[in-house]
Amino acid sequence: MSDGYYSSKKTDDICEEVCGQQGTPTSLGMSRLRCILRGLDLRTCLLLFVFVPLCIVGIYVHGQKVTYFLRPLWESPPKPFHEIPHYYNENVSMETQCKLHGWGIRESPRRVFDAVLFSNELDILTIRWNELYPYVTQFVLLESNSTFTGVPKPLIFARNRDRFKFADPRLTYGMVGGRFKKGENPFIEEAYQRLALDQLLKIAGIEDDDLLIMSDVDEIPSAHTINLLRWCDNIPPILHLQLRDYLYSYEFYIDNKSWRASVHRYQSGKTRYAHYRQTDDLFSDAGWHCSFCFRRISEFVFKMKAYSHNDRVKFSHYLNPDRIQDIICKGADLFDMMPEEYTFKEIIGKLGPIPHSYSAVHLPAYLLNNAEKYKYLLPGNCKRESG
C-alpha cells in the first residue's frame, strides 16, 4: 500500500516540476503529454487510442445503417392508405367491372395523358409506352440537359427519338435547361423540372376531367387499370396506384408497397404534377415498379451519381462495375443500406438479399412478346452489358 502511495506522489511531483520548467512550447507540450500518459493505465490507453477511433470509423462507415435500423424509435409509420379493391378479368365486361368497383360507366372514355420526366431509361420507356399505347391520347415527355444533382447530361431521348416513331403522332416533347447549381439539394432541381412539366401539359392540350398519369418512367400502370379508369364514372378525383415493387429486374420482387404513382382527373388551376402523397385512396394491384432496371452497368453508375439520393454513394468503390454486377445477381443493396421500414419486425424481415422469383406471370405484354430482346429483365438473366 505504501509503495503505491509514494509512487503516485512521486509522479505528481515530477509533473509539477515539468510544469514549472522553462523551455520551448514544443518541448513543454511533449513533457506534459508524457506526464499525462504516465498516469494512465493500460485499459484507459486502449480506450483512448483503439476503441474510440474504431467507434468513430464505425459511425462514419455504418452510421446510416444504425440510423435506419433505429428508425422505429423516433419515426412513426405514415397514416395507412384506404385501399380500394381492384377487380379485373379479361372476360368480364367493362360495365360489370365498373359496377364491381361501385362506379358507373360513361358513354365514352376520358382522354388520357401520360406525363413523365425522362432521364435515361430507354428500354423501360419503350415497355411503358407499348403497355399504355392503346389507351393514351397524348404522351408528354420532358427531359433536361441536367441531372437532379446538377451534372450535365446528354438529351438521351432526343438522340434516340427514332426508337419511338410509333408514339410520335401522340407525343408532346419538351426540353428544359438545367440550372447547374452544384451543392444545392437535388430535390429543388427535381421540383423545378416537375413545374416545367405542368406547363408542357398545357401545351399538350389537357382539359378538365381528362385522366392524367403522374409517375416516374419505371412506375408502369397496367393497361387494363387505365382502361378501367377512363371508362368508369364517379371515380375519385385522385388515386394513388399500388404497384408491385421490383429491383434490378422482374426477378427480384420486393413487395407491393410502391404507391407514389397516381392518376388524376385533371382540374385547371388545381392539379399540379407531383410525386408525393396527395390522397388517402390507393388502388390495389395496378401495375409494376421496376427500380434500377437497366441493361448496362454504365447506366447503373449514371443513375447512382445522378438521382436525388446520390448522397447514398458514400465510397467510390460503390461504383465499381464488378461490385455492381455481383450485387445485381445477389439481389443485394447497391448502397449497402438497411431496409427503409418503420417497425423492427419489417426491418429484420427484409435484412439480406431479396429472394429470387421465377414467376413471369402478369408482366407487361410487350416485355413477354419481346422476351429475347429484354431477357435481362426476366428471371434467370442477371448478367448485364458493360458499355
Side-chain angles (χ1 to χ4, degrees), residues 95-230:
E95 183 176 5
T96 300
Q97 288 184 54
C98 290
K99 185 178 180 181
L100 285 167
H101 293 87
W103 303 326
I105 189 164
R106 297 166 55 90
E107 292 183 1
S108 60
R110 293 180 181 84
R111 299 194 307 166
V112 179
F113 287 71
D114 179 38
V116 294
L117 289 175
F118 182 79
S119 178
N120 66 328
E121 311 97 328
L122 289 169
D123 284 353
I124 292 294
L125 182 67
T126 303
I127 294 168
R128 177 194 184 96
W129 280 4
N130 276 279
E131 174 73 15
L132 298 176
Y133 185 82
Y135 308 121
V136 168
T137 308
Q138 195 74 198
F139 294 105
V140 182
L141 182 143
L142 180 75
E143 72 173 330
S144 174
N145 61 350
S146 167
T147 67
F148 293 154
T149 53
V151 177
K153 80 172 188 68
L155 299 176
I156 295 173
F157 179 84
R159 288 184 179 182
N160 294 273
R161 191 159 176 169
D162 285 349
R163 286 181 54 170
F164 302 93
K165 284 184 177 179
F166 70 93
D168 210 54
R170 305 185 195 175
L171 175 60
T172 300
Y173 169 79
M175 193 281 286
V176 61
R179 297 173 307 134
F180 300 107
K181 294 188 177 181
K182 289 190 176 181
E184 184 181 66
N185 188 323
F187 289 100
I188 296 176
E189 178 66 26
E190 183 176 345
Y192 166 74
Q193 293 187 24
R194 293 190 189 279
L195 185 64
L197 194 50
D198 280 329
Q199 302 305 313
L200 193 61
L201 280 163
K202 294 176 182 176
I203 295 171
I206 196 167
E207 298 175 355
D208 284 356
D209 206 44
D210 287 339
L211 209 62
L212 171 59
I213 305 170
M214 294 185 190
S215 69
D216 287 349
V217 171
D218 57 10
E219 297 167 336
I220 306 176
S222 61
H224 67 79
T225 296
I226 300 305
N227 194 33
L228 176 76
L229 296 176
R230 75 186 189 122

Side-chain angles (χ1 to χ4, degrees), residues 13 33-34 52 61 89 131 165 179 184-185 200 207-208 213 243 265 268 274 296 317 335 339 349:
D13 292 342
L33 179 61
R34 283 196 297 270
V52 172
V61 174
N89 185 285
E131 174 73 15
K165 284 184 177 179
R179 297 173 307 134
E184 184 181 66
N185 188 323
L200 193 61
E207 298 175 355
D208 284 356
I213 305 170
L243 307 179
R265 290 167 56 188
S268 300
R296 300 174 183 86
H317 77 268
F335 305 100

Side-chain angles (χ1 to χ4, degrees), residues 305-318:
K305 294 192 295 185
Y307 87 138
S308 298
H309 296 287
N310 73 320
D311 60 309
R312 295 176 178 179
V313 184
K314 292 180 66 67
F315 305 101
S316 59
H317 77 268
Y318 280 14

